[in-house]
């Protein structure tokens, strides 16, 4: 309603916030005992809360790095915590119950059909991110466990891009991006909150995928998050996000960085796949 009636947006947003505050205690209490009867309502509430988080006015403190967000979601950025929370809490039988109810469409999965990674014309850009694992840009380098989590996150992102384009799967960009957020190793998202450059660069490429989703409540969010990521990367690391910056429609000019950087420091330049090693 706030979107349809911008002149009354403050009133509608205030009402939405109040309703959420009132409902959260009951929601958290119900999570302690998920049944066939209440699982649909819980899942609906979680879905609506996620939409609310996506569509709410952007906080001055940002989406990824808000102090309150870090505390409330145990170190995870709020935008990812909402998607991971309920699905991690639901027992297997609850997923079966929901799949047979009116929200079955919100549980889209890839199924058993194989995923052809070559269907994504930009796969080479995601493959290039593996250099972050082989030659980390953090100083000191991340521990082995963290690097392995990044490797898994990158391979999962390759798969999600391909799934979003595959005629054998009915996910599209939104559910493919959600799938990444649901299944990416937790440590990757924790390191986003900590501003680890490897994690930020990986999430930047996920935002390019989410930006392809044409839903009113997602509109503008990838661009906002990309701005946060860009501003939190050191100047010499910004070429790593050249492509996602372009994909979400930011106006940042990175040409000066290409001129100053040595070729071996760049993951790729424009459409030249030869940069991928």
């Amino acid at each position: 309603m706030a979107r349809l009636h911008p002149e009354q947006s403050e009133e509608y947003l205030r009402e939405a916030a109040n309703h959420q505050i009132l409902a959260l205690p009951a929601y958290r209490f119900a999570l302690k005992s998920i049944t066939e009867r209440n699982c649909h309502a819980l899942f609906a509430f979680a879905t609506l809360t996620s939409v609310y988080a996506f569509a709410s006015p952007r906080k001055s403190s940002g989406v990824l790095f808000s102090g309150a967000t870090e505390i409330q979601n145990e170190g995870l950025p709020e935008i990812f915590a909402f998607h991971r929370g309920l699905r991690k809490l639901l027992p297997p039988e609850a997923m079966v119950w929901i799949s047979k109810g009116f929200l079955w469409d919100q549980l889209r999965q890839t199924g058993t059909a194989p995923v052809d990674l070559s269907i994504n014309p930009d796969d080479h850009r995601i493959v290039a991110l593996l250099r972050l694992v082989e030659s980390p840009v953090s100083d000191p380098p991340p521990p082995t466990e963290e690097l392995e989590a990044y490797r898994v996150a990158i391979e999962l992102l390759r798969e999600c891009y391909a799934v979003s384009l595959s005629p054998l799967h009915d996910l599209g960009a939104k559910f493919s991006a959600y799938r990444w957020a649901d299944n990416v190793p937790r440590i990757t998202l924790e390191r986003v909150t900590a501003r680890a450059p490897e994690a930020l660069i990986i999430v930047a490429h996920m935002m390019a995928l989410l930006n392809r989703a044409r839903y009113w409540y997602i509109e503008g969010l990838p661009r906002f998050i990309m701005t946060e990521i860009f501003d939190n990367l050191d100047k010499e690391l910004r070429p790593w996000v050249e492509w996602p910056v372009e994909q979400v429609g930011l106006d940042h000019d990175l040409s000066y960085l290409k001129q100053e950087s040595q070729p071996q420091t760049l993951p790729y330049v424009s459409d030249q796949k030869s940069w991928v090693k």
Side-chain angles (χ1 to χ4, degrees):
M1 294 299 291
R3 181 181 175 87
L4 294 175
H5 303 283
E7 72 281 359
Q8 297 177 270
S9 62
E10 288 189 14
E11 177 184 348
Y12 284 121
L13 289 169
R14 185 166 53 250
E15 285 295 317
N18 288 337
H19 280 291
Q20 185 186 47
I21 291 171
L22 291 173
L24 275 173
Y27 169 73
R28 289 170 178 154
F29 181 80
L31 284 176
K32 299 176 182 178
S33 179
I34 301 174
T35 67
E36 186 172 5
R37 183 176 181 178
N38 69 10
C39 66
H40 306 285
L42 290 172
F43 194 72
F45 182 88
T47 301
L48 291 174
T49 301
S50 178
V51 171
Y52 173 80
F54 273 49
S56 294
R58 311 306 174 212
K59 305 172 185 177
S60 59
S61 56
V63 173
L64 296 181
F65 311 120
S66 167
T69 292
E70 295 173 24
I71 296 171
Q72 293 169 0
N73 298 300
E74 300 179 348
L76 296 187
E78 181 181 66
I79 208 67
F80 296 115
F82 281 129
H83 284 286
R84 294 172 66 89
L86 183 60
R87 293 190 186 222
K88 299 301 181 184
L89 290 172
L90 286 175
E93 60 269 23
M95 301 297 283
V96 174
W97 297 331
I98 293 171
S99 69
K100 296 178 180 179
F102 67 98
L103 289 173
W104 65 270
D105 193 52
Q106 298 299 311
L107 289 178
R108 297 185 195 179
Q109 300 294 326
T110 58
T112 57
V115 181
D116 179 9
L117 298 178
S118 67
I119 197 173
N120 175 24
D122 295 306
D123 184 59
H124 66 285
R125 303 183 187 279
I126 313 304
V127 172
L129 299 180
L130 290 171
R131 291 177 58 186
L132 293 170
V133 178
E134 299 162 1
S135 301
V137 295
S138 292
D139 186 19
T144 302
E145 178 187 5
E146 186 176 326
L147 291 175
E148 182 56 30
Y150 292 153
R151 184 188 301 278
V152 172
I154 293 166
E155 294 294 353
L156 178 60
L157 188 57
R158 293 183 67 198
E159 186 177 310
C160 290
Y161 265 95
V163 165
S164 74
L165 299 170
S166 172
L168 300 178
H169 303 89
D170 185 27
L171 291 189
K174 184 184 81 166
F175 283 102
S176 295
Y178 286 3
R179 180 171 178 267
W180 186 87
D182 285 340
N183 295 285
V184 69
R186 180 186 176 92
I187 190 173
T188 301
L189 301 181
E190 291 175 340
R191 297 305 293 158
V192 168
T193 307
R195 295 174 169 80
E198 292 86 358
L200 292 178
I201 292 167
I202 293 170
V203 169
H205 285 73
M206 183 273 203
M207 285 299 124
L209 173 59
L210 184 63
N211 191 64
R212 299 177 182 180
R214 297 294 179 250
Y215 293 83
W216 65 269
Y217 52 88
I218 293 177
E219 181 181 337
L221 179 64
R223 187 181 303 113
F224 187 89
I225 291 178
M226 267 305 311
T227 299
E228 286 188 89
I229 292 173
F230 188 89
D231 291 344
N232 279 274
L233 284 175
D234 290 340
K235 179 179 176 181
E236 64 271 17
L237 297 179
R238 289 175 177 173
W240 279 95
V241 296
E242 174 195 1
W243 179 68
V245 161
E246 294 172 349
Q247 291 296 298
V248 303
L250 287 183
D251 296 327
H252 297 310
D253 180 12
L254 298 179
S255 59
Y256 72 98
L257 293 175
K258 296 180 191 177
Q259 296 170 1
E260 295 177 3
S261 301
Q262 295 299 316
Q264 62 267 27
T265 68
L266 298 175
Y268 46 69
V269 175
S270 299
D271 294 319
Q272 299 301 314
K273 297 184 182 183
S274 60
W275 286 96
V276 180
K277 297 181 181 179

